[in-house]
Amino acid sequence: MKDHSKQWTSNQVEQALACPFTRRNFLKALLAAGALAALPGGMLVPRSSIAEEIFGPTVFQGKDAYQTFRNACPRNCYDTCSIVSYVKDGVLQFIEGAPESTFTNGGLCVKGYAYPRRVYSPDRVKYPMRQVGRGSGNWERISWDEALDIISDKILEIKEKDGSLLGMALTKYSGNFGITHYGVEGMMSSLGYTTRFVGTPCWPAGIDAQNYDMGSMWCNDPEDMVNSKYIIIWGANPAHCSVHSMKFVTEAQRRGAKVVVIDPVFTQTAAKADEYWEIKPSSDGALALGMARYLLDNNLVDRDWIKNNSVGFAEYEAYIKENVTLDWAAEQSGIPVEVFTRVMSEFAAADPATIWIGYGMQRHINGGNNVRAIDALVAMTGNMGKVGGGARYGHLYTWGFNYHAMVQSPPEGSVGFVGESGPKGEFDTGQAATEASYTDRAVNINKIGQVILDTNDPPIRLLWAANKNVLSQDFDRNKIEKAFEKLEMVVVVDQFFTQTAELADIILPTTTLFEDWTVNVSYWHYWLGINEQAIKPLFEAKSDIEIASALSAKLNSKQPGSCTFPENIDTKEWMEKEFNDGIYTLFGIKSWEDLRDGPRKANAGLTPWADGAFATPSQKYEFKSELAAEHGHFDIPKFKPGRDAYAPYRLLTPHDKYSIHSQFQNVDWMHDYNPEPFLYVNPKLARQKGIGEGDTVRLFNQVGELTIKVKLTNNVPADSLLVYENWFGKNNKFNVNNLVDDTSSDMGKYKTGSPGVALHDQFADIEKV
């Protein structure tokens, strides 16, 4: 058998690199690298050196030698970086942060700088592919027409068999937050009423908590942290997950602010703090209640602010004094009384002071309640509505687009779901249904395996997965694999052969951000950025809305009127249709084209609640929330214990620095930095188990197991184990969700449709292999 990679290196590369270097030559070289026309299986074989060999040493030729484009990172990340892309001869050469944004400030994270490697990775899905025998790895290339034929036939079959399309389900989340990518939901709506996996695994408990307290999740501009006199970073690790925010934290320190980090793990952020506390996981609420008790006992609360801007404080104060002691809070949290009382004295004296509430600390069965207790500390010290103050969690203030791509109508005569969801996915479809009463069937995104297994009448037959790697990122991997056996068809839209693609019937290639038009904002900062198409889509990749349009045309050719999604679209025009006068006014622009000169920052909303008017029913901060009580929660923040341990050691599975969930780690540059996963173990625990540095261990619990190498570190508590969530590329079976079950957190259903998931309330044991 010929060695195609060597043949390519000696022959085709010389031709491809001959001057002038054009996009066409680049694609020819990339194609030749795997002899793709003759060997479809070659598309599955990693050749990480291809991009390096094509580009050769990077020689900067001066900015005038390149076309420049505006882009914005659409990943699920605080920073949503504004990007300038440099293109020559139709090839993306390099990128940098947009200097116009005072948040991005010309820089990117380590993952961002690797974007060109992602675009030109030889491992990208290049064509529609069909797997003959799900999970067999026996892939064959098919045309778009063939792929859409197969999918459309299945859709029409389901509609005929069930009398509706409730047997077709969409699971989609945060792979691409570009606004036009909500066209995936639009595609589903244009087909009829379907089953939707709703909710979010990310931040739902905290969203509900802040809605009960303030009426909305709305945080201060992160750039105003430079004005803070005291910063508590509670359960967040921005040095990994929001690198651009760190400069505002360090500038505040330079100006004299104190920074305290509260986290079970000694993180990179903790290393940069003035003080670090190793808190017991899930005890955050107990600690916050103890802090509140100290503030009350020492008259360190802002009684004027409380009187004028809140309701329910008397009840909250009474609960604290009757039920909470300082010693109890110290015992629960592991933080000594003298430590947290000193910091509360400093916090109350600082003006302004702020708390950054991380998403990790609300991923517990008591997570939402814990967030409410922390919100209360900020409110009772009068730090709401201040520049440099606030309880910082996130916001959607700048997200007021038209959602043109998402808002599509079902075909006339569509039949949908009627009635309330029952337990465990058992649905009462009702008796007397009218077209006006039909809806999609909403099911819990965080229990995808259980939902598929339990849902009937009709069962889920076809699963469409877009902007999401289900098998890598959803919970209880073993249960999900079992659930997939029940599905009749799985369609995955992705750029890579992910773990979900391994169990798909059809995979459709989709564009990267540099091959698409869209617009992006952040759930953290207040900048708006355009995303221009910098290069033409590689190979046969299509955007989400182009796929929807093509599917619509195929369906309507077989059954006219079966899909309402427009059959001919222009992605740039659809991006334009997302703008409205409200967006233009908020960002001080006359047209979206103004964004070609650089990103723009909102001119309002940067200091929430500054006028003292909250969005709650009372229009005040609600220490006591009747709405929370109506939803089955405590009316005031009270102590709620964490999950009982079901194995000897706490298992923590946080985000890695070199990836965003299952994205980026498979790119060669990231792999060079971080080539394999490790289990991080405290040396004290390792000695007890007879385990040394580099040993291979079995990590196991009631959910599943992993075999993994150990690294010893004092950064992890002696009663905990830590392994970063990640996807290391195809054919790598590592998956932390082999060990994470789908137990729900306490809140999330109110605002996101489903409760969150208690992914940090997990436990495990280890043994040397």
Side-chain angles (χ1 to χ4, degrees):
M1 183 175 179
K2 293 183 178 179
D3 186 334
H4 291 281
S5 62
K6 289 184 178 179
Q7 187 178 40
W8 175 79
T9 301
S10 60
N11 298 321
Q12 283 98 346
V13 171
E14 292 182 7
Q15 299 173 19
L17 294 177
C19 294
F21 181 46
T22 66
R23 171 187 162 82
R24 182 181 178 186
N25 285 339
F26 178 88
L27 292 178
K28 284 170 63 179
L30 203 55
L31 277 163
L36 300 183
L39 296 172
M43 286 174 272
L44 308 180
V45 179
R47 296 184 178 87
S48 60
S49 63
I50 291 177
E52 188 68 42
E53 294 183 58
I54 289 175
F55 283 119
T58 301
V59 179
F60 182 63
Q61 301 176 20
K63 292 186 177 181
D64 291 342
Y66 304 89
Q67 288 180 284
T68 59
F69 296 88
R70 296 290 179 173
N71 294 100
C73 182
R75 309 274 84 88
N76 184 5
C77 173
Y78 286 100
D79 288 11
T80 310
C81 294
S82 301
I83 297 171
V84 181
S85 303
Y86 293 84
V87 174
K88 187 175 178 62
D89 295 324
V91 176
L92 178 66
Q93 299 288 336
F94 63 95
I95 63 174
E96 63 183 7
E100 297 86 358
S101 167
T102 52
F103 185 81
T104 303
N105 198 32
L108 299 173
C109 71
V110 65
K111 301 176 289 291
Y113 283 118
Y115 256 127
R117 313 295 293 189
R118 180 181 176 92
V119 173
Y120 295 116
S121 169
D123 297 332
R124 272 190 69 175
V125 180
K126 302 171 179 66
Y127 313 102
M129 302 282 287
R130 172 172 55 194
Q131 188 170 202
V132 182
R134 191 184 303 164
S136 67
N138 183 21
W139 289 93
E140 61 181 21
R141 177 181 172 181
I142 57 177
S143 67
W144 271 101
D145 191 60
E146 289 175 292
L148 295 172
D149 253 333
I150 295 167
I151 296 167
S152 60
D153 284 346
K154 188 63 180 178
I155 291 172
L156 295 175
E157 175 193 311
I158 292 170
K159 192 173 181 180
E160 175 69 22
K161 182 183 295 184
D162 297 334
S164 74
L165 276 179
L166 293 176
M168 181 177 180
L170 170 67
T171 184
K172 170 184 178 282
Y173 191 53
S174 62
N176 191 318
F177 272 152
I179 300 302
T180 57
H181 289 265
Y182 289 96
V184 179
E185 289 90 336
M187 177 191 75
M188 299 296 285
S189 295
S190 72
L191 294 170
Y193 299 103
T194 59
T195 295
R196 307 288 183 92
F197 284 90
V198 302
T200 159
C202 184
W203 56 348
I207 292 176
D208 277 11
Q210 293 213 320
N211 273 272
Y212 295 137
D213 293 339
M214 293 169 269
S216 180
M217 174 189 66
W218 186 11
C219 67
N220 283 50
D221 175 12
E223 297 180 51
D224 83 2
M225 278 191 288
V226 298
N227 301 301
S228 302
K229 298 296 188 288
Y230 215 97
I231 301 173
I232 297 178
I233 302 176
W234 201 323
N237 185 13
H240 272 197
C241 302
S242 183
V243 295
H244 293 93
S245 293
M246 284 302 294
K247 61 177 170 284
F248 305 113
V249 174
T250 55
E251 174 59 19
Q253 284 179 299
R254 191 190 67 80
R255 297 183 185 186
K258 184 171 183 177
V259 175
V260 177
V261 168
I262 304 174
D263 200 296
V265 179
F266 186 70
T267 63
Q268 189 173 350
T269 305
K272 297 176 182 296
D274 298 291
E275 191 164 334
Y276 163 65
W277 301 351
E278 184 184 290
I279 191 172
K280 295 179 182 178
S282 81
S283 70
D284 310 88
L287 178 59
L289 294 173
M291 291 171 160
R293 177 63 191 259
Y294 179 78
L295 292 172
L296 290 168
D297 288 349
N298 292 274
N299 197 28
L300 296 175
V301 298
D302 189 334
R303 295 282 178 180
D304 288 339
W305 189 93
I306 291 167
K307 178 181 178 181
N308 295 325
N309 298 284
S310 74
V311 297
F313 185 73
E315 292 91 334
Y316 183 60
E317 182 175 12
Y319 169 79
I320 294 290
K321 290 186 174 180
E322 292 170 9
N323 296 278
V324 177
T325 68
L326 304 185
D327 288 338
W328 170 84
E331 181 182 359
Q332 290 288 324
S333 66
I335 309 303
V337 170
E338 62 272 18
V339 173
F340 72 75
T341 55
R342 171 179 49 77
V343 163
M344 275 295 97
S345 292
E346 296 167 354
F347 186 86
D351 187 14
T354 188
I355 301 179
W356 181 341
I357 304 169
Y359 303 143
M361 58 81 58
Q362 52 91 59
R363 293 170 183 156
H364 296 275
I365 64 169
N366 57 1
N369 198 69
N370 293 346
V371 171
R372 290 198 69 200
I374 296 170
D375 285 346
L377 296 175
V378 179
M380 65 199 297
T381 54
N383 279 296
M384 292 290 184
K386 290 182 176 180
V387 173
R392 301 168 187 265
Y393 189 71
H395 77 88
L396 297 175
Y397 188 85
T398 56
W399 289 67
F401 296 93
N402 289 331
Y403 296 95
H404 166 78
M406 183 175 72
V407 181
Q408 305 294 326
S409 300
E412 186 176 349
S414 295
V415 175
F417 175 72
V418 178
E420 295 294 328
S421 297
K424 298 182 180 178
E426 297 173 0
F427 302 100
D428 175 10
T429 56
Q431 299 297 320
T434 64
E435 189 167 346
S437 65
Y438 289 135
T439 66
D440 294 312
R441 180 169 60 180
V443 292
N444 189 341
I445 196 172
N446 293 319
K447 292 182 179 290
I448 185 170
Q450 197 65 53
V451 166
I452 294 171
L453 290 170
D454 290 347
T455 298
N456 294 296
D457 194 24
I460 296 173
R461 304 181 189 278
L462 189 163
L463 182 68
W464 188 287
N467 296 290
K468 187 181 179 189
N469 184 358
V470 178
L471 269 294
S472 177
Q473 296 306 124
D474 283 345
F475 312 104
D476 199 334
R477 165 69 181 257
N478 292 329
K479 186 186 293 183
I480 295 172
E481 287 185 348
K482 182 179 179 182
F484 267 47
E485 294 174 3
K486 184 181 176 184
L487 299 170
E488 297 170 14
M489 179 177 287
V490 178
V491 178
V492 169
V493 181
D494 213 308
Q495 296 162 9
F496 293 94
F497 285 90
T498 64
Q499 292 187 354
T500 309
E502 291 174 7
L503 292 183
D505 298 289
I506 302 288
I507 185 166
L508 303 176
T510 191
T511 49
T512 65
L513 71 102
F514 302 100
E515 300 160 311
D516 190 20
W517 283 93
T518 194
V519 57
N520 295 83
V521 286
S522 170
Y523 52 72
W524 181 244
H525 63 68
Y526 283 81
W527 288 85
L528 165 71
I530 197 70
N531 190 85
E532 297 182 286
Q533 187 184 72
I535 58 174
K536 295 295 183 183
L538 290 175
F539 304 103
E540 294 184 10
K542 294 181 184 290
S543 70
D544 282 322
I545 57 175
E546 288 174 322
I547 293 171
S549 177
L551 180 60
S552 181
K554 178 61 72 173
L555 279 164
N556 288 326
S557 71
K558 295 180 176 182
Q559 189 180 97
S562 59
C563 185
T564 65
F565 204 94
E567 296 179 18
N568 295 291
I569 65 169
D570 181 287
T571 56
K572 180 180 176 182
E573 290 179 1
W574 274 50
M575 177 274 297
E576 294 176 32
K577 291 179 179 180
E578 297 295 356
F579 287 86
N580 53 50
D581 289 343
I583 290 290
Y584 289 149
T585 299
L586 179 61
F587 289 96
I589 56 178
K590 295 180 179 179
S591 164
W592 70 268
E593 298 215 26
D594 292 345
L595 298 171
R596 285 179 153 168
D597 295 326
R600 297 293 181 92
K601 188 175 183 178
N603 52 39
L606 307 182
T607 309
W609 325 121
D611 60 358
F614 289 83
T616 56
S618 66
Q619 296 189 316
K620 294 178 180 292
Y621 183 93
E622 296 193 354
F623 289 97
K624 179 180 179 181
S625 168
E626 294 180 1
L627 185 60
E630 289 175 14
H631 292 167
H633 308 298
F634 297 135
D635 56 353
I636 59 176
K638 296 181 179 181
F639 173 67
K640 184 175 183 178
R643 188 180 187 184
D644 292 336
Y646 57 80
Y649 310 108
R650 173 81 61 168
L651 176 64
L652 301 172
T653 56
H655 300 315
D656 194 4
K657 185 176 184 177
Y658 302 107
S659 65
I660 299 178
H661 303 299
S662 65
Q663 296 176 312
F664 289 101
Q665 179 57 61
N666 63 309
V667 176
D668 57 353
W669 280 4
M670 296 300 96
H671 194 267
D672 287 344
Y673 278 109
N674 189 35
E676 63 179 315
F678 289 96
L679 175 67
Y680 293 87
V681 181
N682 187 284
K684 181 179 178 181
L685 174 57
R687 285 193 296 271
Q688 294 172 2
K689 290 284 190 175
I691 293 169
E693 176 80 13
D695 283 350
T696 299
V697 299
R698 175 177 171 250
L699 175 65
F700 62 97
N701 62 14
Q702 63 187 21
V703 186
E705 63 181 69
L706 283 176
T707 300
I708 189 170
K709 290 182 182 178
V710 164
K711 278 196 174 184
L712 303 182
T713 176
N714 287 306
N715 295 346
V716 177
D719 61 353
S720 297
L721 304 164
L722 184 148
V723 56
Y724 290 107
E725 56 132 358
N726 229 322
W727 176 60
F728 280 80
K730 61 182 182 289
N731 301 322
N732 189 311
K733 300 303 181 183
F734 170 78
N735 191 328
V736 298
N737 287 317
N738 288 354
L739 296 142
V740 178
D741 68 21
D742 57 6
T743 296
S744 296
S745 57
D746 54 344
M747 296 182 189
K749 186 174 182 179
Y750 169 40
K751 282 296 180 179
T752 73
S754 295
V757 63
L759 63 92
H760 290 319
D761 275 339
Q762 309 294 327
F763 304 88
D765 201 352
I766 52 173
E767 61 183 18
K768 188 174 179 179
V769 174

